[in-house]
Amino acid sequence: MLTTHPFESLDDGDKLREECGIFGIAGAETASAMVALGLHALQHRGQEAAGITSFDGDHFHTHRAMGHVAGNFDRDDVIRSLPGHNACGHVRYSTTGETALRNVQPLYADLASGGFAVAHNGNISNAMKLKRDLVRRGSIFQSTSDTEVIIHLVATSTYRTLLDKFIDALRHLEGAYSLICMTPEGMIACRDPLGIRPLVMGKLGNSIIFASETVALDVVGADYIRSIEPGELVLVREGEVESVHPFGKRAARPCIFEHVYFSRPDSIVDGSSVYSVRKAIGAQLAIEAPVDADLVIPVPDSGVPAAIGYAQESGIPFELGIIRSHYVGRTFIQPGDKVRHLGVKLKHNANRALIDGKRIVLIDDSIVRGTTSLKIVQMMRDAGAKEVHMRIASPPTRHSCFYGVDTPERAKLLAAKLDIPGMTDFIHADSLAFVSIDGLYRALGETQRADIGPQYCDACFTGDYPTTLTDQDDLAPEDQFSLLAERVN
Ligand code: AMP
């Protein structure tokens, strides 16, 4: 029984903040099979659940499932149940709380204008406020996902055409959204006005493809055309591609963490090779934080490109001192602190013969809670390392992300609690250093942030959020405190 207003929260125990991957194809013989392949390449962006919606010219068909793409969408019967030349899909990632099927995307609704499906990567930072207003006006929500707000805004818009309704809906949104939508008329892909989350366009024969990352184009053999521009809507109708910029042009603020960690190293994000950027960050780290050591060792897999860059710049040999088992999921993704600790042990093992008696520089992409670093440093010591120096290929993560990367609340971020000497003690390293924010910008080919101002959303490092955060600001200070206290436990 509900004891509070039904719209008091969007997340009945479920987290709103989640990183996701999206893929859509318009005009393909085997659209849903292509989407399954594309989602498979985007699996690193979300492992909790996956879904595909197709349109056969008359009807929409949806299959959504908990778990990985493989096992759910590599089955002929499933792909056969998703007929049509247009299809889009979604992989979802959420670390805690309820993992209900009703939140798995694409979300679909029958609107007065016809069917409407949406796959969303990002997080709408005023979703709770919008939901409250919509519920007051009679909307009945089916999920606890922020994405559903978009459907209700389209449904209740007083504009005439579906495109105008959609643009009208987007004008209400604050935060990060890369979207792929399907209607009976065709497919719409768009990116929020700051382009916080990535989205690219590709071509395969006469088919147009949209995907979170270029790696998903590679997997289906498609050619990369370009990134969708911040604030751009691309429509595909009867094979024709049309682009509109309903919000005017604004300075872009794409997520810098895509380059640091989230995207696959073989992807091109906003025109830059993720692998090359990560190597350049490592080289920058070697310049900013040199250390006398015998070996550079990456924390696999996320620390590998930066470690190569560090080794090349410093001249210290690169070696695989930690071997990773590929049969356990990403450490961070396993819910619950106890399981996460266990996951680290299952996932990594020291290459003892190499480490014993050596002074080592360990390279990882980021420290979030500090769990991984603590375990890995200890693992190096247990394997006989003489000295362990930790170098991190991003600045300290001091602030939560409200735009779709699942970081824990501030109280759990190690760098929000401790200064660098405190963090060094916590992880039991001989030394610890992070690349500077200017160094990170330099690795991305920019001049110093201090000179040019923010070119990215780097709020996780700087606290400089590029949009208002209505839902956060709406919380009374005492609620913010109790919410934090609740979640810390
Ligand atoms: P922690 O153990 O909490 O400090 O997490 C740090 C590790 O998690 C690093 O090795 C990163 O590669 C990885 N990581 C950082 N941010 C994320 C994220 N948002 N989602 C999943 N993994 C992450």
Side-chain angles (χ1 to χ4, degrees):
M1 198 179 77
L2 281 173
T3 51
T4 54
H5 289 294
F7 46 81
E8 217 136 69
S9 164
L10 261 183
D11 62 338
D12 49 5
D14 202 359
K15 260 196 170 182
L16 287 180
R17 295 187 290 281
E18 56 199 39
E19 180 74 26
C20 303
I22 55 178
F23 186 97
I25 184 162
E29 281 291 314
T30 50
S32 53
M34 302 296 260
V35 175
L37 288 169
L39 292 182
H40 196 265
L42 298 174
Q43 187 78 81
H44 60 287
R45 299 182 71 86
Q47 290 136 26
E48 186 200 54
I52 297 180
T53 297
S54 69
F55 180 64
D56 66 10
D58 291 316
H59 298 104
F60 286 85
H61 308 267
T62 296
H63 184 81
R64 302 183 295 171
M66 303 310 296
H68 288 192
V69 179
N72 283 308
F73 290 96
D74 52 359
R75 289 170 31 205
D76 275 349
D77 57 326
V78 171
I79 296 300
R80 270 201 306 274
S81 74
L82 297 164
H85 292 181
N86 288 3
C88 70
H90 189 270
V91 283
R92 177 175 194 263
Y93 158 49
S94 155
T95 52
T96 58
E98 183 205 31
T99 52
L101 204 53
R102 65 194 167 129
N103 286 334
V104 180
Q105 298 191 25
L107 297 185
Y108 174 82
D110 280 309
L111 307 184
S113 50
F116 184 82
V118 56
H120 171 206
N121 174 205
N123 183 59
I124 296 162
S125 58
N126 62 340
M128 290 198 199
K129 171 165 190 336
L130 292 171
K131 181 173 180 177
R132 270 196 300 273
D133 295 346
L134 285 158
V135 170
R136 275 195 193 103
R137 285 173 12 220
S139 291
I140 298 167
F141 277 71
Q142 305 288 320
S143 75
T144 56
S145 155
D146 58 331
T147 308
E148 195 183 342
V149 162
I150 300 171
I151 294 182
H152 289 275
L153 288 171
V154 174
T156 54
S157 170
T158 52
Y159 279 82
R160 206 175 51 81
T161 68
L162 180 69
L163 183 60
D164 285 341
K165 286 175 192 288
F166 184 60
I167 293 170
D168 182 36
L170 298 186
R171 283 194 209 285
H172 289 82
L173 306 182
E174 172 196 279
Y177 52 88
S178 283
L179 303 173
I180 300 176
C181 305
M182 279 166 53
T183 75
E185 278 181 54
M187 191 167 279
I188 312 172
C190 75
R191 232 173 139 186
D192 65 75
L194 300 175
I196 298 176
R197 304 257 65 87
L199 191 63
V200 297
M201 178 160 71
K203 197 170 170 44
L204 179 65
N206 294 324
S207 313
I208 294 292
I209 301 179
F210 301 103
S212 296
E213 292 182 37
T214 56
V215 70
L217 302 178
D218 297 340
V219 90
V220 296
D223 293 325
Y224 168 56
I225 301 177
R226 62 178 177 86
S227 271
I228 305 301
E229 290 171 21
E232 181 185 13
L233 257 79
V234 179
L235 288 91
V236 189
R237 282 186 288 209
E238 289 166 11
E240 296 296 314
V241 180
E242 193 188 329
S243 155
V244 287
H245 283 87
F247 309 109
K249 297 252 180 186
R250 282 170 60 187
R253 295 285 291 276
C255 168
I256 208 161
F257 205 69
E258 291 281 348
H259 297 275
V260 167
Y261 172 78
F262 229 96
S263 292
R264 248 174 67 161
D266 43 345
S267 279
I268 310 285
V269 173
D270 285 317
S272 302
S273 146
V274 175
Y275 180 79
S276 305
V277 167
R278 286 185 192 163
K279 261 179 75 180
I281 303 172
Q284 189 62 38
L285 193 52
I287 295 166
E288 290 183 10
V291 61
D292 239 351
D294 304 312
L295 299 174
V296 173
I297 307 250
V299 177
D301 291 326
S302 53
V304 173
I308 295 172
Y310 193 102
Q312 286 178 355
E313 181 64 36
S314 64
I316 304 171
F318 169 95
E319 294 288 359
L320 295 179
I322 302 165
I323 305 302
R324 179 184 162 186
S325 160
H326 286 271
Y327 305 102
V328 277
R330 281 185 174 194
T331 317
F332 197 93
I333 280 165
Q334 297 168 37
D337 280 334
K338 280 206 182 107
V339 181
R340 203 172 290 115
H341 280 267
L342 182 68
V344 174
K345 276 190 240 150
L346 286 172
K347 195 165 137 181
H348 295 123
N349 191 33
N351 185 353
R352 184 177 290 271
L354 185 78
I355 303 293
D356 198 12
K358 302 285 188 349
R359 297 168 304 162
I360 62 167
V361 194
L362 270 180
I363 313 278
D364 204 357
D365 65 281
S366 57
I367 292 182
V368 182
R369 297 177 182 83
T371 317
T372 307
S373 307
L374 177 65
K375 289 282 167 189
I376 297 278
V377 170
Q378 190 56 48
M379 189 184 286
M380 296 295 97
R381 294 206 188 281
D382 292 346
K386 219 157 63 177
E387 291 172 24
V388 185
H389 302 275
M390 189 91 200
R391 295 292 177 269
I392 302 297
S394 60
T397 301
R398 293 206 170 96
H399 304 271
S400 300
C401 178
F402 299 105
Y403 302 126
V405 171
D406 186 73
T407 45
E409 54 283 356
R410 278 203 85 191
K412 281 192 177 177
L413 296 173
L414 193 65
K417 297 188 286 196
L418 299 171
D419 59 9
I420 295 192
M423 293 172 81
T424 314
D425 285 349
F426 177 86
I427 66 170
H428 302 307
D430 291 286
S431 74
L432 167 67
F434 294 78
V435 79
S436 66
I437 187 76
D438 283 333
L440 180 54
Y441 269 56
R442 227 168 281 133
L444 279 152
E446 309 279 355
T447 33
Q448 305 222 119
R449 187 188 194 274
D451 297 336
I452 53 171
Q455 305 296 304
Y456 294 88
C457 175
D458 50 25
C460 48
F461 307 130
T462 61
D464 178 358
Y465 293 96
T467 72
T468 41
L469 297 170
T470 299
D471 290 342
Q472 286 302 307
D473 297 343
D474 277 357
L475 293 174
E478 63 273 20
D479 289 340
Q480 288 175 357
F481 179 77
S482 62
L483 204 63
L484 274 185
E486 218 171 83
R487 288 182 177 174
V488 169
N489 294 330

